[in-house]
Amino acid sequence: MTNIKSIAVIGAGTMGSGIALTAATSGIAAFQVDISPEQLERAKAYHRKTLDRGVEKQRMTREQADAALKLVTYAGDMGAAKGAGFAIEAATENVDVKRKLFGAMKDTFGPNAILATNTSSISITDIARSVGDAADRVIGMHFFNPVPVMKLVEVIKGLATSEATTKATIELATAMGKTPIPANDRAGFVSNRVLMPMINEAFYAWMEGVADPENVDEIMKLGCNFPMGPLRLADFIGLDVCHDIMMVLYRELGDQKYFPCPLLRQLVQAGRLGDKSGRGVFEHARK
Ligand code: NAD
């Protein structure tokens, strides 16, 4: 049981929009905040479309879908969400962006609010530095893509994270239908420490002509029983996000093996970011 009735979700991209929707379908009010009006519009369209699909597939009633949509409030400024007892940051994977946001989150939300980050790889302890004596309320709450479907939430304590913060985070994740599993505060935690080098190696296999991208993916799907090949997964995550995560692993763990493959870097430079831009390794209908 969680006593959290409303959350603020900072960032309305791939992850933030999924987190807000999952909260709402679990009966928790969500303030969806983003500095980009275009991203807020996209999040709103994604929420409508996903809920409509849920009704069509008889996973929920029209009334339940309408009630969930009513629980989401869209805002360009986090001040609109200041009453929320729990804030989840899901903005760009960049430590400076996150430090600045956490400073603002500390000032915006009440003295007891929990300040969680959905970072894929950045140290929770490092992010918590920007909030001084509120560091005990900072925690990693790492959801997976697509959030409404994926069960896991990696829960990461920073050096100063309190037991009360951890307990409330586990309770919220559970109330959102997720399975929280703890991991320690090392770059990439468990999931991306293991996943990203495999994705990077798939880019090398393509770049070196070991196989074309379709066959790299088909081999890994049929040979390892993966539901999705690593290159398709990279598009789904966002090539820019994969690149940023690998740079964090490379800098923090100090091993060349984490440095992003030149072909991945080039695709990001060309603006080929995956599903979200319509083209990455493969072509996609824009979300
Ligand atoms: P995204 O690029 O889709 O969205 C990021 C959003 O943050 C954008 O809408 C942007 O406008 C917004 N933003 C940037 N600065 C902001 C600010 N100051 N205030 C409010 N909004 C701001 O990225 P994403 O894939 O949703 O990733 C978000 C976070 O989640 C990152 O830390 C990422 O590492 C992590 N994550 C991503 C995945 C994935 O599969 N994509 C999975 C787990 C965790």
Side-chain angles (χ1 to χ4, degrees):
M1 248 323 252
T2 177
N3 52 18
I4 303 293
K5 300 279 177 279
S6 70
I7 65 170
V9 183
I10 320 296
T14 310
M15 295 304 290
S17 60
I19 295 168
L21 179 64
T22 306
T25 53
S26 311
I28 298 163
F31 291 92
Q32 175 88 83
V33 182
D34 203 293
I35 42 172
S36 155
E38 196 200 23
Q39 287 291 81
L40 285 173
E41 279 310 313
R42 285 181 75 181
K44 202 183 284 186
Y46 161 71
H47 293 161
R48 285 219 178 88
K49 197 169 136 192
T50 311
L51 290 167
D52 285 348
R53 207 180 317 128
V55 175
E56 262 167 46
K57 301 226 153 153
Q58 300 187 328
R59 284 197 287 261
M60 60 177 77
T61 63
R62 181 78 260 163
E63 290 68 36
Q64 286 170 324
D66 291 346
L69 201 57
K70 275 209 194 103
L71 283 175
V72 189
T73 309
Y74 302 87
D77 186 303
M78 71 170 87
K82 66 174 189 285
F86 201 112
I88 305 174
E89 171 274 321
T92 315
E93 185 73 347
N94 174 295
V95 71
D96 295 326
V97 170
K98 293 195 191 286
R99 280 197 197 122
K100 221 167 140 195
L101 267 173
F102 268 74
M105 284 158 69
K106 181 194 172 190
D107 294 341
T108 302
F109 299 101
N112 299 316
I114 289 166
L115 310 175
T117 172
N118 184 50
T119 180
S120 305
S121 58
I122 298 171
S123 157
I124 308 306
T125 307
D126 191 349
I127 293 172
R129 246 172 59 192
S130 50
V131 302
D133 61 4
D136 61 321
R137 293 188 277 122
V138 175
I139 192 160
M141 190 179 191
H142 185 206
F143 289 84
F144 287 74
N145 186 16
V147 181
V149 176
M150 299 296 279
K151 284 283 170 211
L152 177 64
V153 170
E154 251 179 332
V155 176
I156 307 109
K157 287 164 73 170
L159 197 63
T161 308
S162 71
E163 282 312 316
T165 297
T166 309
K167 184 168 174 282
T169 304
I170 289 171
E171 285 172 357
L172 177 64
T174 308
M176 288 171 73
K178 305 300 175 199
T179 304
I181 300 190
N184 282 330
D185 191 19
R186 298 285 181 278
F189 320 123
V190 172
S191 52
N192 283 311
R193 173 102 176 234
V194 176
L195 174 65
M196 284 300 152
M198 185 190 69
I199 286 181
N200 209 31
E201 210 52 42
F203 277 94
Y204 274 109
W206 172 24
M207 188 178 82
E208 291 173 9
V210 182
D212 62 23
E214 287 79 8
N215 284 339
V216 169
D217 272 9
E218 223 34 46
I219 285 167
M220 296 307 287
K221 273 165 67 182
L222 298 180
C224 300
N225 216 10
F226 290 164
M228 193 185 264
L231 294 172
R232 180 67 192 88
L233 179 58
D235 271 1
F236 192 62
I237 293 170
L239 299 191
D240 53 338
V241 176
C242 292
H243 176 272
D244 293 346
I245 295 171
M246 280 187 250
M247 286 306 291
V248 173
L249 290 171
Y250 169 67
R251 278 197 301 266
E252 291 297 317
L253 302 172
D255 192 325
Q256 188 68 31
K257 76 177 176 190
Y258 297 111
F259 195 75
C261 170
L263 182 54
L264 169 63
R265 289 170 68 83
Q266 209 173 21
L267 291 177
V268 173
Q269 281 158 357
R272 285 173 58 173
L273 307 182
D275 294 45
K276 63 181 158 189
S277 71
R279 194 173 180 211
V281 177
F282 304 106
E283 302 270 354
H284 310 280
R286 196 153 185 251
K287 265 202 202 164

